Amino acid sequence: MKKKTFLAAIFGSILTAAVLTSAMPGQGNIISKENGMTVVNTTTLAKDVDGYNDITPVKIYIKGNKIEKIEALPNQETPRYFAKVKKELLGKWNGMTVKAAQTAKVDVVTGATYSSKSVIENVRRGLKYYSSHK
């Protein structure tokens, strides 16, 4: 009877570890494929980069080594100001090669400086990660 209890405990521990590991964000969810594009998610790459209120993660869509689009992920920035960032900043990299985008000088959006700087750093880190892990 002790042997069955011991094996059940071992199995339970392994199962718990597997569930916890799969639920934790990590390297496996940074790069994915979506509609024929490579997608870089900066949520875990730039978790230390704050905008005005908190982090401003993005998804970078890349096809043929060119940026198709950059999409803002949910964040805690002030909607009124972050709308300016979405409208005026996110499209700046569209059509650029990854290499050109990494060195592009992109200006911040007036009135949304902290959010802009955070998004720019998210894009920079995402492209750097993509370049070394593609």
Side-chain angles (χ1 to χ4, degrees), residues 16-81:
T16 302
V19 169
L20 291 175
T21 303
S22 67
M24 292 181 352
Q27 300 293 345
N29 65 354
I30 294 173
I31 293 183
S32 62
K33 296 287 185 182
E34 194 175 307
N35 297 326
M37 292 182 269
T38 300
V39 182
V40 180
N41 182 326
T42 66
T43 301
T44 58
L45 282 176
K47 60 185 172 190
D48 62 323
V49 178
D50 287 338
Y52 187 76
N53 289 317
D54 202 1
I55 62 172
T56 58
V58 298
K59 278 187 173 180
I60 306 166
Y61 292 81
I62 302 167
K63 186 174 184 178
N65 212 37
K66 285 191 175 184
I67 298 172
E68 293 289 314
K69 69 177 179 174
I70 297 176
E71 178 181 283
L73 293 172
N75 60 65
Q76 300 301 312
E77 298 300 273
T78 307
R80 180 173 137 212
Y81 294 107

Side-chain angles (χ1 to χ4, degrees), residues 56 72 75 77-87 115 119:
T56 58
N75 60 65
E77 298 300 273
T78 307
R80 180 173 137 212
Y81 294 107
F82 202 73
K84 289 176 145 185
V85 172
K86 286 181 177 179
K87 181 180 177 186
S115 299
V119 166

Side-chain angles (χ1 to χ4, degrees), residues 83-100:
K84 289 176 145 185
V85 172
K86 286 181 177 179
K87 181 180 177 186
E88 298 176 31
L89 184 63
L90 294 180
K92 298 283 184 179
W93 294 276
N94 292 355
M96 288 186 186
T97 64
V98 170
K99 186 176 181 179

